[in-house]
Amino acid sequence: MIESLARLLALQDRDQKLRNLRLEMEELPNARAAQESQLAASAARLEASKSRLRAIEVERKTLQTEASAKRATIERYKAQQLQTRKNEEYSALAHEIAVGEKAVSDLEDRELELMEEAEALAPSLQAAESEYAADKVRIEKALRVLDAQGPNIEELIRDLEAARSEAAQGIDESLLATYERIFQNKAGSAIVLMENEVCFGCHMKVTSQTALEVRAEKHIVHCPSCGRILRLPD
Ligand SMILES: [Zn+2]
């Protein structure tokens, strides 16, 4: 392999590692946000279970208050009934008492329904609670790992940046600029293998002339299709 290509290849190795680390670094906030939104969704599921049970409790209290007010009214009618001597008034009160008793019974039925609903919801609340507890432990651990990754990646990047500039030394300036441009444009693959006269960057067959030039190893050869620098297998 010609020396300038060997140098470029060593540089590309560092550049690719750097590129991956920088991508990982960029992904960290997204990864963090994804974990946080999972935890929020789990908390929302728990909250939904709890809020239905709270609504049931509120409705039960209202029903109980209504029922005791009705019972008090019924008691009052009954007392009036004992005191009246008029048949008409007596039967009017008897009718009111019957209406009131029916209303109390309806309220009690509705309360019973609510109690049954609350009982049926209990297992799903319990499930949501334990699911949330497990999610919280798992996600908080994942967040701690992500938080620790940042400084580690930064340190690796600093080390690699030093190694990178070392590797860039001694490479012809214009060749270096060409390589850097291709590396940028081709998502981190500037130098690729040519095997069976096919460029491994774009998977196009190169011309026989290009293949000959690559095999001759006299100068840097670019793929005619994608412009990447071609090299032979080791
Ligand atoms: Zn190509």
Side-chain angles (χ1 to χ4, degrees):
M1 189 186 289
I2 53 175
E3 205 204 328
S4 57
L5 186 55
R7 282 172 188 262
L8 278 184
L9 205 54
L11 182 63
Q12 176 171 269
D13 176 59
R14 277 149 199 177
D15 277 342
Q16 284 175 340
K17 283 176 184 151
L18 261 176
R19 184 174 183 275
N20 290 338
L21 286 173
R22 286 185 180 129
L23 288 175
E24 260 185 70
M25 198 69 195
E26 276 172 31
E27 264 310 301
L28 279 182
N30 294 340
R32 208 175 196 291
Q35 293 291 339
E36 278 170 345
S37 83
Q38 271 187 39
L39 186 58
S42 179
R45 282 194 296 275
L46 175 59
E47 185 49 36
S49 290
K50 280 182 176 170
S51 93
R52 179 61 197 137
L53 282 170
R54 273 200 300 268
I56 289 173
E57 263 320 291
V58 169
E59 198 181 336
R60 273 188 64 194
K61 290 260 157 58
T62 311
L63 293 174
Q64 285 167 359
T65 310
E66 272 179 49
S68 51
K70 288 261 181 237
R71 281 190 205 99
T73 310
I74 292 167
E75 288 314 306
R76 212 170 59 240
Y77 289 154
K78 281 182 177 169
Q80 285 173 18
Q81 233 183 1
L82 288 177
Q83 282 162 10
T84 189
R85 286 164 199 282
K86 294 175 196 159
N87 275 342
E88 216 172 284
E89 198 181 333
Y90 187 92
S91 39
L93 285 166
H95 174 72
E96 288 304 321
I97 289 165
V99 169
E101 277 169 349
K102 170 76 173 75
V104 168
S105 148
D106 287 348
L107 289 168
E108 284 171 348
D109 286 350
R110 176 70 190 134
E111 200 194 342
L112 205 65
E113 274 174 32
L114 289 173
M115 284 165 74
E116 279 166 4
E117 190 188 342
E119 217 169 291
L121 281 175
S124 71
L125 173 66
Q126 226 169 16
E129 266 169 352
S130 51
E131 204 177 302
Y132 175 71
D135 285 347
K136 198 166 166 351
V137 169
R138 177 177 56 81
I139 291 168
E140 280 175 353
K141 188 180 168 199
L143 287 173
R144 278 196 301 276
V145 169
L146 286 172
D147 287 344
Q149 270 174 356
N152 290 345
I153 295 174
E154 274 169 0
E155 198 185 331
L156 288 170
I157 286 176
R158 277 196 300 276
D159 291 349
L160 266 168
E161 276 169 347
R164 195 261 172 211
S165 33
E166 208 175 291
Q169 274 166 22
I171 298 176
D172 172 73
E173 248 178 65
S174 97
L175 178 61
L176 184 60
T178 304
Y179 155 84
E180 282 172 349
R181 181 175 46 77
I182 303 170
F183 188 89
Q184 274 294 319
N185 295 340
K186 300 295 177 192
S189 83
I191 305 158
V192 293
L193 277 177
M194 182 200 74
E195 260 189 288
N196 301 319
E197 304 193 353
V198 169
C199 162
F200 271 41
C202 65
H203 308 289
M204 298 292 285
K205 208 165 170 64
V206 300
T207 60
S208 319
Q209 179 59 32
T210 303
L212 271 175
E213 285 176 37
V214 175
R215 283 196 205 98
E217 299 198 298
K218 292 264 190 290
H219 59 94
I220 299 283
V221 183
H222 295 265
C223 165
S225 304
C226 68
R228 289 183 180 90
I229 297 165
L230 296 170
R231 73 172 181 93
L232 295 171
D234 294 325

